[in-house]
Amino acid sequence: MVLVPVVVLVVLSLAVPTSGALSVRSAFLAVGAALMVLAGVRMFVPDEAIWPNSEVMRRCRWLARHLEKRADWASSPVVLLTGSSTTMFGLDTERIERRLAEAGIPATVLSFSISGATLHERRYMLQSFLEMLNDETRRKLRIAHVLILQEVFDAYDQNPLYRMEKEAFSQRLIQFLNPENARKAWQAYALQCQADPGLTRWPMALLLARHSLLNVFSVGALADMEWLGRKRKRTAPFFALEGHKQNFNYLKAVELLQHPTDATSRQNSALPFPQAKLSFDQMLEPLQSYPYHIGFYALPMLEPSRTAYAEELSRLSDGSKPFLGPPSAVELGAMLSAECWFDGVHPTGKGAELFSDWFAGKLIPILSANVRE
């Protein structure tokens, strides 16, 4: 971080020369006081001012403007999708809106999805989005019919800190792992440790604590040496993939899907995961002052173990909350074309068109009935 050494140098420059020896204690106190001032100032500076063009801020900015662009949006359903890359590459929300409009439902569909996003990063996205809205938009959101749909995906549901070690100390993790999110992520991870005693606790606790400390001092915020007031960009939530992922064998994936082995289709008797439920509840906390309804969805996939997980959760659903998918064998069969799949869990742009149309078809009866919990 640039500011810390600058402040330290300023403090040292103000030191009054004396004939006596320098006091190490005084030096530490001066540096400590400077760091405390920085941490105090940081509490009052919004994240959008610190990381104005990070991926989260760019996407949330697009979502906020997209919500506000239609004057009468509050009189129609607002659907919030929270997910990972499966949603980001699989659901074209603007296409879904068009399909809903054709069915007489002028809904607004917003996707809070980033590749590799854990539920706590999705929580941060929701919080950042709400902070960008003006008072009038927040007022309208409190009277709108809001439906929150959570992506079902075994890796994120089972592991609250999925991919964290791989992406450790990246700007993205430093940005969303503020002390509050780090604490909540640890609570969810502790539940996972109870079910799996083989997991290590303290190395992960230390990793979370270090990211939280880096967040407090906004480490890396000025690494690009650009002025924080630069033009703020927007990024749409949907991004299409093309071709096949390296080493992905489409024919083999379909064969395994249609003839799964016991190992690939095994279901987990411990479902639903307690850490997933806690993480989901924590994710919804920024929305506690906004009335909303909850549901879940499972997108088409070619991997039997992940499909089996989604099917089991769907069977466990008591029907009080909408559960979209996973697709039936017939529905998935209509999507089985090599040009539609980038890998076993992500579609290409052509596949995303089919995914989005299928998803819109599942949404129509739910929104038409104006489902209430």
Side-chain angles (χ1 to χ4, degrees):
M1 182 181 181
V2 176
L3 293 181
V4 171
V6 169
V7 170
V8 172
L9 288 173
V10 170
V11 171
L12 292 176
S13 70
L14 296 175
V16 179
T18 65
S19 56
L22 291 175
S23 170
V24 174
R25 179 175 178 273
S26 298
F28 273 108
L29 287 175
V31 172
L35 293 177
M36 289 180 65
V37 169
L38 283 173
V41 171
R42 169 70 173 86
M43 293 175 61
F44 299 98
V45 180
D47 281 10
E48 188 183 9
I50 299 174
W51 292 285
N53 285 319
S54 63
E55 187 172 9
V56 167
M57 296 305 166
R58 294 198 316 268
R59 292 180 183 276
C60 287
R61 200 172 291 123
W62 188 96
L63 294 169
R65 301 294 83 79
H66 184 71
L67 177 68
E68 296 168 345
K69 73 179 182 181
R70 200 178 81 239
D72 61 343
W73 64 266
S75 62
S76 303
V78 178
V79 182
L80 311 183
L81 308 179
T82 60
S84 62
S85 59
T86 309
T87 297
M88 184 178 80
F89 297 126
L91 294 180
D92 182 346
T93 53
E94 293 184 282
R95 183 182 180 93
I96 293 172
E97 288 179 348
R98 292 195 294 272
R99 295 293 175 265
L100 293 175
E102 291 168 0
I105 306 172
T108 302
V109 184
L110 305 177
S111 178
F112 296 85
S113 307
I114 294 182
S115 181
T118 63
L119 271 70
H120 295 92
E121 186 168 14
R122 298 172 208 176
R123 179 185 191 276
Y124 179 73
M125 286 189 71
L126 287 168
Q127 192 171 38
S128 299
F129 166 76
L130 293 172
E131 290 174 353
M132 288 182 182
L133 303 179
N134 57 44
D135 291 341
E136 177 62 16
T137 303
R138 293 194 192 99
R139 185 192 66 78
K140 289 182 177 180
L141 194 61
R142 289 188 177 93
I143 62 174
H145 176 78
V146 178
L147 174 63
I148 300 174
L149 294 176
Q150 163 68 7
E151 174 194 282
V152 167
F153 196 101
D154 58 335
Y156 299 95
D157 294 354
Q158 184 174 17
N159 186 356
L161 303 180
Y162 183 60
R163 293 175 60 89
M164 181 174 172
E165 290 179 300
K166 181 177 181 180
E167 298 180 6
F169 304 109
S170 63
Q171 183 198 69
R172 175 175 161 181
L173 261 65
I174 293 172
Q175 180 180 346
F176 90 84
L177 278 175
N178 54 45
E180 183 181 25
N181 278 337
R183 177 177 61 83
K184 293 181 183 299
W186 169 252
Q187 291 172 341
Y189 181 72
L191 283 180
Q192 183 186 3
C193 290
Q194 292 179 14
D196 186 354
L199 292 175
T200 58
R201 286 175 174 262
W202 296 115
M204 192 59 72
L206 180 60
L207 196 59
L208 285 170
R210 293 170 70 182
H211 280 82
S212 178
L213 185 62
L214 293 173
N215 176 277
V216 168
F217 292 106
S218 308
V219 172
L222 298 176
D224 56 8
M225 299 303 290
E226 290 189 33
W227 175 244
L228 293 179
R230 63 189 181 276
K231 184 177 180 181
R232 298 183 175 187
K233 303 174 184 177
R234 304 176 190 175
T235 299
F238 171 71
F239 179 77
L241 295 170
E242 298 301 334
H244 289 311
K245 184 179 180 179
Q246 188 176 9
N247 299 324
F248 171 64
N249 187 321
Y250 170 76
L251 294 177
K252 183 177 180 180
V254 173
E255 174 67 20
L256 188 60
L257 177 71
Q258 296 174 339
H259 303 92
T261 64
D262 290 341
T264 57
S265 62
R266 187 180 298 120
Q267 298 166 7
N268 194 313
S269 60
L271 299 181
F273 297 118
Q275 60 268 29
K277 183 181 185 307
L278 176 61
S279 297
F280 180 61
D281 290 343
Q282 292 172 333
M283 185 191 72
L284 296 177
E285 288 172 350
L287 287 158
Q288 59 186 351
S289 64
Y290 300 85
Y292 57 81
H293 310 281
I294 299 171
F296 300 89
Y297 65 95
L299 294 180
M301 295 187 187
L302 298 182
E303 297 186 2
S305 61
R306 302 196 189 284
T307 300
Y309 170 78
E311 289 174 345
E312 181 63 14
L313 281 187
S314 178
R315 282 192 289 269
L316 292 173
S317 174
D318 61 6
S320 62
K321 299 178 178 63
F323 200 113
L324 288 70
S328 66
V330 173
E331 291 171 333
L332 184 59
M335 306 176 191
L336 292 184
S337 172
E339 65 177 354
C340 292
W341 294 88
F342 177 76
D343 60 19
V345 296
H346 301 110
T348 60
K350 178 66 176 178
E353 294 178 2
L354 299 179
F355 281 30
S356 300
D357 292 347
W358 167 81
F359 192 81
K362 295 294 183 182
L363 264 180
I364 289 171
I366 295 173
L367 298 181
S368 296
N370 199 28
V371 172
R372 301 288 180 181
E373 287 190 298

